[in-house]
Amino acid sequence: MTVFVVSAPSGAGKTTLNRRLLQECPTLEMSISHTTRSPRKGEQEGVHYYFLDRSSFQSLVEEGAFLEWAEVHGNLYGTSFKELERIEKQGKSPILEIDVQGWDNIKPKLPSAVSIFILPPSLRSLWERLESRGSDHVEQRWRRFKNAYAEIKTANHYSILLENQDLEEAFQKLKSIMVAGNYQVASREDGLRLCKRLNEEFETADWIKGLRTQMGS
């Protein structure tokens, strides 16, 4: 059983890509995380997440039920050992859709896992994707954006860096990696160069400087 870890900054497209993978690739199964955040419209218990209050989540932490857990945007998220066991019994490969904190926590425990970090082609495009959601206030978008920058700076912790400039192209590459084991479709060197450009954009772009002034940070 190969465990795939997929991480990305908010707005980079990992959820869209992973949902399509699950539709087209019956050998893959998404690991369902536990979370303390409230369900969004259309989300179902046991399908998208296992929704818990903070006290119940902490009880599971104390019991050692989680392979990894972390606090993200003020909410707790965790991957349970039982989820991996459930998927393994089905003869499938699990996809762990977790953040960089989660991967750093489980990397020593899953040394053979294939870790994939999805990158936006630019920070401008990432900001536009966050804006297009229309569900967050500008202050929340800015917080997610700053977190995205921090996550991109740790992308070198992952074995595969995949740019999502064209959704169809990114999907075909991701599918090739997970189904055919073709890890060469995404150049790590190109990914690292993209990370460098994104970091430079955050530090020097006038439009980001304007946002920083507007947000007071």
Side-chain angles (χ1 to χ4, degrees):
M1 177 187 72
T2 301
V3 177
F4 295 100
V5 173
V6 181
S7 304
S10 182
K14 73 176 182 298
T15 301
T16 300
L17 290 167
N18 283 339
R19 284 178 179 172
R20 185 173 169 188
L21 276 172
L22 296 177
Q23 291 174 349
E24 298 189 17
C25 307
T27 60
L28 302 172
E29 178 81 7
M30 183 65 69
S31 172
I32 303 171
S33 298
H34 292 66
T35 184
T36 59
R37 77 160 172 79
S38 300
R40 293 171 181 162
K41 184 177 181 181
E43 288 184 334
Q44 300 176 31
E45 167 72 18
V47 176
H48 299 95
Y49 286 96
Y50 299 114
F51 296 100
L52 302 172
D53 58 35
R54 185 170 284 261
S55 175
S56 298
F57 191 103
Q58 292 289 3
S59 293
L60 289 176
V61 171
E62 293 169 7
E63 293 169 11
F66 292 124
L67 175 66
E68 62 83 23
W69 68 275
E71 184 163 359
V72 184
H73 304 310
N75 294 301
L76 301 175
Y77 293 82
T79 302
S80 71
F81 288 101
K82 285 186 177 180
E83 266 300 287
L84 295 189
E85 293 171 3
R86 175 183 70 83
I87 296 169
E88 185 177 9
K89 287 178 181 178
Q90 296 178 9
K92 297 183 179 183
S93 294
I95 300 175
L96 275 59
E97 189 178 276
I98 58 180
D99 74 337
V100 295
Q101 292 181 63
W103 173 232
D104 284 341
N105 288 338
I106 68 171
K107 191 174 183 178
K109 303 174 186 177
L110 295 175
S112 62
V114 177
S115 58
I116 304 164
F117 193 92
I118 299 171
L119 291 159
S122 68
L123 293 183
R124 168 70 80 176
S125 68
L126 185 68
W127 179 257
E128 290 173 352
R129 290 176 190 176
L130 292 174
E131 281 189 313
S132 68
R133 291 178 174 180
S135 57
D136 293 331
H137 297 296
V138 65
E139 292 84 3
Q140 292 173 309
R141 290 199 300 272
W142 176 240
R143 184 176 68 172
R144 289 182 182 275
F145 187 74
K146 288 197 299 180
N147 287 343
Y149 171 64
E151 290 171 346
I152 288 168
K153 290 177 69 175
T154 68
N156 63 327
H157 295 184
Y158 292 73
S159 54
I160 297 173
L161 306 178
L162 179 63
E163 180 182 357
N164 183 16
Q165 181 172 31
D166 177 85
L167 189 63
E168 181 62 28
E169 180 180 353
F171 171 75
Q172 293 302 332
K173 287 182 177 181
L174 195 57
K175 183 178 178 180
S176 183
I177 291 166
M178 292 191 180
V179 177
N182 184 5
Y183 304 150
Q184 305 306 313
V185 295
S187 166
R188 180 171 176 80
E189 290 73 20
D190 287 347
L192 291 173
R193 281 193 288 270
L194 175 56
C195 287
K196 184 178 180 180
R197 292 199 302 271
L198 295 172
N199 289 332
E200 290 173 350
E201 184 181 359
F202 188 86
E203 296 296 337
T204 63
D206 289 338
W207 69 272
I208 295 180
K209 291 179 181 177
L211 276 173
R212 192 180 290 117
T213 299
Q214 178 184 349
M215 295 297 106
S217 62

